[in-house]
Coordinates of all heavy atoms in Angstrom, one line a residue:
D6 N 38.1 -0.9 -27.7 CA 37.8 -2.2 -27.6 C 36.6 -2.5 -26.9 O 35.9 -3.4 -27.3 CB 39.0 -2.9 -26.7 CG 40.3 -3.0 -27.6 OD1 40.3 -2.9 -28.9 OD2 41.4 -3.2 -27.0
K7 N 36.3 -1.8 -25.8 CA 35.1 -2.0 -25.0 C 33.9 -1.6 -25.9 O 32.8 -2.2 -25.8 CB 35.2 -1.2 -23.7 CG 36.2 -1.6 -22.8 CD 35.9 -3.1 -22.4 CE 37.1 -3.6 -21.4 NZ 37.2 -3.0 -20.2
L8 N 33.9 -0.6 -26.7 CA 32.8 -0.1 -27.6 C 32.6 -1.2 -28.7 O 31.4 -1.4 -29.1 CB 33.1 1.2 -28.2 CG 33.1 2.4 -27.2 CD1 33.5 3.7 -27.9 CD2 31.6 2.6 -26.5
N9 N 33.6 -1.8 -29.1 CA 33.5 -2.9 -30.0 C 32.8 -4.1 -29.4 O 32.1 -4.9 -30.0 CB 34.8 -3.3 -30.7 CG 35.1 -2.4 -31.9 OD1 34.3 -2.5 -32.9 ND2 36.1 -1.7 -31.9
W10 N 33.1 -4.3 -28.1 CA 32.7 -5.5 -27.2 C 31.1 -5.3 -27.1 O 30.5 -6.3 -27.1 CB 33.4 -5.5 -26.0 CG 32.8 -6.5 -25.0 CD1 33.1 -7.8 -24.9 CD2 31.9 -6.2 -23.9 NE1 32.4 -8.4 -23.8 CE2 31.6 -7.4 -23.2 CE3 31.3 -5.1 -23.6 CZ2 30.8 -7.5 -22.1 CZ3 30.4 -5.1 -22.5 CH2 30.1 -6.3 -21.8
R11 N 30.7 -4.1 -26.9 CA 29.2 -4.0 -26.5 C 28.3 -4.1 -27.7 O 28.8 -4.0 -28.9 CB 29.0 -2.5 -25.9 CG 29.1 -1.4 -26.8 CD 28.1 -0.3 -26.5 NE 26.7 -0.7 -26.4 CZ 26.0 -0.8 -27.5 NH1 26.4 -0.4 -28.7 NH2 24.7 -1.2 -27.4
Y12 N 27.2 -4.6 -27.4 CA 26.1 -4.7 -28.4 C 24.8 -4.6 -27.7 O 24.7 -4.7 -26.5 CB 26.3 -6.0 -29.2 CG 25.8 -7.3 -28.3 CD1 24.7 -8.0 -28.7 CD2 26.6 -7.7 -27.2 CE1 24.3 -9.1 -27.9 CE2 26.2 -8.8 -26.5 CZ 25.0 -9.5 -26.8 OH 24.7 -10.6 -26.0
A13 N 23.7 -4.5 -28.5 CA 22.4 -4.4 -27.9 C 22.0 -5.8 -27.6 O 21.5 -6.6 -28.4 CB 21.3 -3.8 -29.0
T14 N 22.1 -6.1 -26.3 CA 21.9 -7.5 -25.8 C 20.5 -7.9 -26.0 O 19.5 -7.2 -25.5 CB 22.3 -7.6 -24.4 OG1 23.7 -7.2 -24.3 CG2 22.2 -9.0 -23.8
K15 N 20.3 -9.0 -26.6 CA 19.0 -9.5 -27.0 C 18.5 -10.6 -25.9 O 17.3 -10.7 -25.6 CB 18.9 -10.2 -28.3 CG 19.2 -9.3 -29.5 CD 18.2 -8.1 -29.5 CE 18.5 -7.3 -30.8 NZ 19.8 -6.5 -30.6
M16 N 19.4 -11.3 -25.3 CA 19.1 -12.3 -24.3 C 20.0 -12.1 -23.1 O 21.2 -12.2 -23.1 CB 19.3 -13.7 -24.8 CG 18.3 -14.0 -25.9 SD 18.6 -15.8 -26.5 CE 18.3 -16.8 -25.0
F17 N 19.4 -11.8 -21.9 CA 20.1 -11.6 -20.6 C 20.0 -12.9 -19.8 O 19.1 -13.7 -19.9 CB 19.5 -10.5 -19.8 CG 19.9 -9.1 -20.3 CD1 19.0 -8.5 -21.3 CD2 21.1 -8.5 -20.0 CE1 19.3 -7.2 -21.7 CE2 21.3 -7.2 -20.4 CZ 20.5 -6.6 -21.4
D18 N 21.1 -13.1 -19.1 CA 21.1 -14.2 -18.1 C 20.5 -13.8 -16.9 O 21.0 -13.0 -16.1 CB 22.6 -14.5 -17.8 CG 22.7 -15.8 -16.9 OD1 21.7 -16.1 -16.2 OD2 23.8 -16.5 -16.9
A19 N 19.2 -14.2 -16.7 CA 18.4 -13.7 -15.5 C 19.0 -14.1 -14.2 O 18.6 -13.5 -13.2 CB 17.0 -14.3 -15.7
S20 N 19.9 -15.0 -14.1 CA 20.6 -15.5 -12.8 C 21.6 -14.5 -12.4 O 22.1 -14.7 -11.3 CB 21.0 -16.9 -13.0 OG 22.2 -17.0 -13.8
K21 N 22.1 -13.6 -13.3 CA 23.2 -12.8 -12.9 C 22.8 -11.4 -12.7 O 21.9 -10.8 -13.4 CB 24.3 -12.8 -14.2 CG 24.9 -14.1 -14.3 CD 25.9 -14.0 -15.4 CE 26.7 -15.3 -15.7 NZ 27.7 -15.2 -16.8
K22 N 23.2 -10.8 -11.6 CA 22.8 -9.5 -11.1 C 24.0 -8.5 -11.1 O 25.0 -8.9 -10.6 CB 22.1 -9.6 -9.7 CG 20.9 -10.5 -9.7 CD 19.8 -10.0 -10.6 CE 18.6 -10.9 -10.6 NZ 17.5 -10.5 -11.6
V23 N 23.7 -7.3 -11.5 CA 24.6 -6.3 -11.3 C 24.8 -5.9 -9.9 O 23.7 -5.7 -9.2 CB 24.2 -5.0 -12.2 CG1 25.2 -3.8 -11.9 CG2 24.2 -5.3 -13.7
S24 N 25.9 -5.7 -9.3 CA 26.1 -5.5 -7.9 C 25.6 -4.0 -7.6 O 25.5 -3.2 -8.5 CB 27.6 -5.6 -7.5 OG 28.3 -4.5 -8.1
K25 N 25.2 -3.9 -6.3 CA 24.7 -2.5 -5.9 C 25.8 -1.4 -6.2 O 25.6 -0.4 -6.5 CB 24.5 -2.6 -4.4 CG 23.8 -1.3 -3.9 CD 23.4 -1.4 -2.5 CE 22.8 -0.1 -1.9 NZ 22.3 -0.3 -0.5
E26 N 27.1 -1.8 -5.9 CA 28.3 -0.9 -6.1 C 28.3 -0.5 -7.6 O 28.4 0.7 -7.9 CB 29.5 -1.5 -5.6 CG 30.7 -0.6 -5.9 CD 32.0 -1.3 -5.4 OE1 32.0 -2.5 -5.2 OE2 33.1 -0.6 -5.5
D27 N 28.3 -1.5 -8.5 CA 28.4 -1.2 -9.9 C 27.2 -0.4 -10.4 O 27.3 0.5 -11.2 CB 28.5 -2.5 -10.7 CG 29.9 -3.1 -10.6 OD1 30.8 -2.4 -10.1 OD2 30.1 -4.3 -11.0
L28 N 26.0 -0.8 -9.9 CA 24.8 0.0 -10.3 C 25.0 1.5 -9.9 O 24.5 2.4 -10.7 CB 23.5 -0.6 -9.7 CG 22.3 0.1 -9.9 CD1 21.9 0.0 -11.4 CD2 21.1 -0.5 -9.1
N29 N 25.4 1.7 -8.7 CA 25.6 3.1 -8.2 C 26.5 3.8 -9.2 O 26.4 5.0 -9.3 CB 26.0 3.1 -6.9 CG 24.9 2.9 -5.8 OD1 23.7 3.2 -6.1 ND2 25.1 2.3 -4.7
I30 N 27.5 3.2 -9.6 CA 28.5 3.9 -10.5 C 27.8 4.2 -11.8 O 27.9 5.4 -12.3 CB 29.7 2.9 -10.9 CG1 30.7 2.8 -9.6 CG2 30.5 3.5 -12.1 CD1 31.7 1.7 -9.9

Side-chain angles (χ1 to χ4, degrees):
D6 287 342
K7 294 298 175 64
L8 290 177
N9 274 300
W10 170 85
R11 73 147 300 276
Y12 73 110
T14 304
K15 300 299 185 289
M16 295 177 64
F17 285 91
D18 185 337
S20 69
K21 294 182 179 180
K22 299 299 178 184
V23 174
S24 70
K25 185 176 180 180
E26 179 183 7
D27 285 348
L28 177 64
N29 281 331
I30 291 174

